[in-house]
Amino acid sequence: MTKLYEHGTLAMLMDGMMDGTMTLADLMTHGDTGIGTLTGTNGELTILDGEVYHAKSDGEVVHITDLTVATPFSSVHFNEPTVMLAFDVVDAQSLTAHLGDHDLANVFSGIKLHGTFQHIHVRVAKEQSQPYPSLLDVAEGQAEFQARDITGTLVGYYAPEIFAGPTTAGWHIHFISDDKQFAGHVLDFYASQLKGSLQIFDDFVQHLPVDNQSFRKMKQNMNGLKENIAKSEGGHH
Ligand SMILES: [Zn+2]
């Protein structure tokens, strides 16, 4: 029995609910591997081997040691591989196609894959301040970075189409280099000798910030929610 634990929803971010509502310390009690963001969609988090790395929109990557900082939206799990995977050469599109061979359409799953990236293209969300905009506006102003000939790890999740709203439907993948100097939300890559694992989750735990009064009072806009999430989180479906 393995579970995927998610704090907050992507739908909340779409409507500007971007205050951190769970400390990283609390989040990490539910997993040692994952992805997320900080208050105000400040950058992209990659959680690897129990450590949190924060890719910032200026390109810097910080190892977060003060786990009292909070996240509005993050997903974590304990790494317990279901299937081991290895690819000689693979890009973002062919990886998704290969993963599709494992009949993942209706299940939550995760990947952790390490290899050499001849090319990788990531984006990093910029920190927003109050009053927070829609995530759609954040996506338009995101920073993008590219690297060549770099070794590193992909960490990401797949969610079935019916969960577009709580999270991104399809794949949502982050990258962190071995030297922890380059990281972000993956848009595209070309890699070789990519090895690691696929994990299929029996359980999906959706945790909500029930003590946050703005969340309790917010009116979620459902119009075009699915399309807007695809627009702001798209890049590898
Ligand atoms: Zn991301």
Side-chain angles (χ1 to χ4, degrees), residues 9 34 39 42 46 61 103 139 149 158 220:
T9 68
T39 294
N42 174 10
T46 306
V61 180
D103 295 330
D149 301 320
Y158 177 87
Q220 184 80 58

Side-chain angles (χ1 to χ4, degrees), residues 56-236:
K56 304 200 301 177
S57 62
D58 62 2
E60 196 190 350
V61 180
V62 176
H63 178 201
I64 298 184
T65 51
D66 172 10
L67 299 180
T68 62
V69 296
T71 175
F73 179 62
S74 286
S75 302
V76 292
H77 72 284
F78 286 106
N79 195 45
E80 291 171 40
T82 310
V83 183
M84 300 312 288
L85 301 172
F87 304 98
D88 281 340
V89 288
V90 70
D91 62 15
Q93 273 200 328
S94 59
L95 176 65
T96 315
H98 284 302
L99 292 168
D101 293 343
H102 294 269
D103 295 330
L104 302 179
N106 299 317
V107 297
F108 280 94
S109 62
I111 49 162
K112 183 181 170 191
L113 292 167
H114 180 267
T116 302
F117 294 76
Q118 279 70 38
H119 173 238
I120 183 147
H121 181 191
V122 299
R123 76 107 199 269
V124 178
K126 279 187 188 155
E127 182 175 15
Q128 307 297 311
S129 46
Q130 297 263 23
Y132 296 125
S134 161
L135 193 61
L136 262 188
D137 300 324
V138 181
E140 277 168 20
Q142 69 197 15
E144 296 188 19
F145 302 97
Q146 311 207 34
R148 294 196 177 275
D149 301 320
I150 188 170
T151 56
T153 306
L154 299 175
V155 174
Y157 296 108
Y158 177 87
E161 197 75 33
I162 58 165
F163 291 92
T167 187
T168 317
W171 285 99
H172 178 181
I173 301 172
H174 287 194
F175 173 83
I176 176 116
S177 63
D178 285 354
D179 65 8
K180 312 295 192 285
Q181 301 293 305
F182 184 91
H185 173 113
V186 175
L187 296 177
D188 206 1
F189 66 84
Y190 186 89
S192 57
Q193 304 307 316
L194 203 58
K195 287 193 185 72
S197 57
L198 168 70
Q199 183 165 345
I200 292 172
F201 302 107
D202 305 278
D203 295 309
F204 173 61
V205 176
Q206 174 66 72
H207 184 259
L208 296 171
V210 296
D211 295 329
N212 184 289
Q213 290 310 307
S214 319
F215 170 67
R216 294 291 289 272
K217 291 182 169 63
M218 80 174 282
K219 193 162 176 353
Q220 184 80 58
N221 179 11
M222 296 300 292
N223 278 338
L225 178 63
K226 204 173 155 185
E227 292 73 19
N228 290 341
I229 285 177
K231 258 186 240 166
S232 56
E233 290 293 306
H236 41 74

Side-chain angles (χ1 to χ4, degrees), residues 10-59:
L10 195 55
M12 289 163 54
L13 295 188
M14 294 305 307
D15 275 357
M17 274 290 310
M18 296 177 177
D19 274 333
T21 40
M22 180 180 236
T23 65
L24 294 181
D26 285 344
L27 178 74
M28 302 292 286
T29 64
H30 301 280
D32 57 12
T33 309
I35 61 178
T37 190
L38 295 178
T39 294
T41 69
N42 174 10
E44 312 283 336
L45 299 180
T46 306
I47 300 163
L48 190 62
D49 304 323
E51 301 294 327
V52 188
Y53 300 95
H54 178 209
K56 304 200 301 177
S57 62
D58 62 2

